Amino acid sequence: MANLRDIRNRITSVNNTQQITKAMKMVAAAKLRKAQTRMNDTRPYAAKIREVVARLVKNASIDNELLRIPEENKRLLYIVIGSDRGLCGAFNNNLFKVVESRIRENHSSFLRSGTLDLVCIGKKSIAYFKKRGYPIKESHPGFFDNLNYTEAVKVIEQVMEEFTAGSYDEVYLAHNEFKSIIAQTRIVKKILPVDPAALIAELNMDDSDEAIDYIYEPGDKEILDRLLPLYLKIQLWSALLESNASEQGARMAAMDNATENAKELEQELRLKYNQARQSAITTEISEIVSGAQALKDV
Amino acid sequence: MADTFQAQILTPDGKRFEGSVQAVQVPGVGGSFEMRVDHAPIISTLAIGRARVITDTTELLYFAISGGFVEMNDNNMTLLAEAAERVEEIDVERAERAKARALEELMKRQKDKEVMLRALKRAENRLSLKEQQLEGKLD
């Protein structure tokens, strides 16, 4: 039978843990609300840009270097968005495993020949891929502590520059998409070269849209030149915001679970404690009784 | 009351303006122009500059715009900017700092000149707008 004091100490410690996880859950909930607002604020802007870009690329005659389909894929780049902090369940690992299996299935030859690079955003993503020996070209730790558009733009601008310079032929973006507070979808998609067909399909534009005869000022090509970078920027930015909101949601769920588990454990320990206490009392009584009996017998 | 149309100003950080307006003047790349009701469908890129909104109550609103583009169709106007602030909300100190930083970078670095020049222009745009507002010279 366990020592009474040991059990008592464990109960206190489980209780403390429970308080911490509960507090973390509440912090995550508050952050989640903020993250969700930011995410929703971005949506109209993103939707509009997508719409106009789709309208422009529908006109197939337009040419842009960000639309350039490479004759041969020589170098690939994966941008992986993880989180900076842990304690959010399988949030990071689930995504990283999807990325790994995707690379293994489609691009294992690139990995072997060293023509596949990673850009890792978030400490967890850096740690994971570094440990497994993936070539990390660029890492951005602590990105989510001060999540802002300007920083995000810098990342994607560099990627675009390298793509146009021909350093990379395809760029993929992997992140968690916010589905609900407790559910995330893991997304790995090609962002460069921009695929006009997918854009148009995504928009689900009907023919009536075509009828609008827009004035393009200064010209449709110039507009597309300006718009495609904006489109990519907002893609990364929304991915970051989605990931951020998902992370908080995942943490909230994980911490809620932990609190529940701690509660259960505490109950178990309390039962054990009472059992031990009772048997200690029983032993004591029987000792006293037998002591008294022994005295009487003398 | 004059005819009005719907306008909204969006940025990656959220909506800056939404409502019915009489006219919106925007800083097009080829020069500033104004859109009124029943304007032909247009998509135009914007330079760094200022947008002026005349609301349905003839209130004048000024925005500092950091490039972007505008779309108008069927009396619905959408202005998309990477950043947009009401002139009242311009943070002078921050703009001053950004200007100083951009100037410094321009002096010592050869690389990224374009980027820094744009940053400088954005900061100057904010400052000049604010100055005009304080002097009551906004038209």
Side-chain angles (χ1 to χ4, degrees):
Chain A
M1 191 49 84
N3 187 320
L4 267 183
R5 202 193 316 150
D6 284 350
I7 301 183
R8 214 167 34 227
N9 284 344
R10 279 213 64 195
I11 290 180
T12 327
S13 114
V14 168
N15 228 327
N16 284 342
T17 313
Q18 197 182 329
Q19 270 165 13
I20 293 169
T21 54
K22 211 179 199 169
M24 284 185 76
K25 183 195 154 192
M26 263 149 16
V27 171
K31 283 192 177 165
L32 171 68
R33 254 195 305 281
K34 223 173 106 195
Q36 263 182 300
T37 336
R38 279 184 96 176
M39 202 171 68
N40 290 334
D41 282 348
T42 310
R43 279 193 175 145
Y45 179 86
K48 198 75 197 176
I49 291 217
R50 238 193 334 264
E51 183 194 321
V52 180
V53 170
R55 196 171 282 145
L56 282 164
V57 292
K58 219 175 167 194
N59 181 350
S61 64
I62 294 187
D63 192 34
N64 185 290
E65 46 195 7
L66 294 176
L67 296 168
R68 169 186 66 96
I69 295 166
E71 288 149 27
E72 183 190 1
N73 279 343
K74 277 179 282 189
R75 281 195 84 91
L76 308 182
L77 184 72
Y78 268 81
I79 305 174
V80 184
I81 304 175
S83 74
D84 272 325
R85 284 159 216 274
L87 292 178
C88 45
F91 172 81
N92 284 309
N93 270 333
N94 279 347
L95 176 73
F96 301 159
K97 285 209 181 102
V98 170
V99 173
E100 274 198 292
S101 75
R102 191 63 76 87
I103 291 177
R104 226 177 304 124
E105 275 164 34
N106 304 335
H107 308 304
S108 54
S109 59
F110 290 97
L111 190 60
R112 268 198 302 278
S113 59
T115 47
L116 184 145
D117 288 325
L118 292 180
V119 169
C120 291
I121 299 176
K123 283 183 197 143
K124 294 289 158 186
S125 125
I126 300 163
Y128 184 95
F129 289 103
K130 202 174 189 178
K131 200 172 146 203
R132 281 159 186 77
Y134 283 88
I136 299 176
K137 191 179 83 69
E138 197 96 32
S139 50
H140 301 277
F143 208 80
F144 292 96
D145 291 341
N146 178 22
L147 186 57
N148 66 69
Y149 185 68
T150 330
E151 285 305 310
V153 163
K154 277 186 201 151
V155 175
I156 192 79
E157 263 175 354
Q158 197 184 344
V159 171
M160 285 191 283
E161 213 171 275
E162 277 163 27
F163 179 81
T164 37
S167 309
Y168 293 103
D169 301 304
E170 271 182 359
V171 181
Y172 293 83
L173 176 66
H175 67 99
N176 275 291
E177 191 188 49
F178 186 84
K179 205 140 182 227
S180 74
I181 295 171
I182 47 161
Q184 301 92 35
T185 1
R186 290 154 287 281
I187 295 209
V188 182
K189 66 176 173 197
K190 198 199 311 183
I191 54 166
L192 276 171
V194 176
D195 181 7
L199 249 173
I200 294 163
E202 200 180 324
L203 258 182
N204 203 1
M205 277 202 302
D206 47 18
D207 292 334
S208 65
D209 269 2
E210 251 177 318
I212 305 169
D213 191 13
Y214 276 100
I215 304 169
Y216 292 108
E217 183 63 43
D220 45 7
K221 182 169 170 12
E222 286 83 353
I223 291 181
L224 196 65
D225 285 348
R226 283 278 297 274
L227 254 166
L228 274 176
L230 282 182
Y231 170 65
L232 282 160
K233 284 178 197 171
I234 196 68
Q235 261 198 320
L236 180 74
W237 178 235
S238 346
L240 283 165
L241 290 177
E242 293 262 354
S243 174
N244 189 32
S246 308
E247 178 195 336
Q248 302 305 343
R251 179 163 300 121
M252 214 175 106
M255 287 303 114
D256 191 44
N257 250 333
T259 313
E260 283 302 310
N261 288 345
K263 225 182 250 170
E264 234 167 73
L265 190 60
E266 197 199 324
Q267 262 168 13
E268 244 167 67
L269 283 170
R270 222 165 255 292
L271 185 67
K272 253 195 204 158
Y273 175 77
N274 285 336
Q275 275 171 350
R277 183 171 159 269
Q278 201 178 15
S279 80
I281 292 171
T282 315
T283 326
E284 220 169 291
I285 289 175
S286 77
E287 269 165 14
I288 293 170
V289 169
S290 58
Q293 195 71 45
L295 277 178
K296 220 200 278 171
D297 287 348
V298 170
Chain B
M1 201 176 84
D3 289 336
T4 59
F5 62 97
Q6 290 302 312
Q8 51 181 346
I9 297 179
L10 305 176
T11 74
D13 279 326
K15 216 170 260 177
R16 291 288 178 270
F17 174 82
E18 184 172 34
S20 62
V21 300
Q22 292 179 17
V24 180
Q25 191 191 54
V26 294
V29 236
S32 167
F33 64 96
E34 190 169 61
M35 282 170 294
R36 287 181 181 266
V37 88
D38 290 333
H39 193 289
I42 183 170
I43 296 178
S44 169
T45 51
L46 301 179
I48 296 166
R50 101 175 179 196
R52 186 189 68 186
V53 174
I54 305 176
T55 66
D56 49 359
T57 51
T58 62
E59 192 189 346
L60 284 170
L61 305 176
Y62 296 91
F63 293 87
I65 304 284
S66 301
F69 72 104
V70 67
E71 186 218 15
M72 179 152 176
N73 175 30
D74 196 19
N75 280 331
N76 265 309
M77 190 215 83
T78 316
L79 194 161
L80 295 136
E82 283 197 87
E85 287 134 37
R86 282 278 302 275
V87 75
E88 289 82 359
E89 284 158 7
I90 289 173
D91 186 341
V92 178
E93 245 172 70
R94 198 177 145 235
E96 293 275 15
R97 270 205 309 276
K99 184 179 170 181
R101 200 173 49 232
L103 276 174
E104 194 186 323
E105 290 285 326
L106 274 175
M107 300 291 262
K108 68 176 188 217
R109 271 205 309 189
Q110 297 301 310
K111 235 182 79 187
D112 294 342
K113 269 217 149 106
E114 286 269 317
V115 179
M116 278 350 271
L117 267 176
R118 268 208 316 259
L120 181 63
K121 258 171 102 181
R122 282 199 299 269
E124 277 176 345
N125 175 42
R126 288 195 175 104
L127 289 174
S128 86
L129 257 179
K130 189 76 195 172
E131 198 177 311
Q132 283 176 44
Q133 183 219 354
L134 293 175
E135 288 172 6
K137 279 186 188 155
L138 279 174
D139 53 341

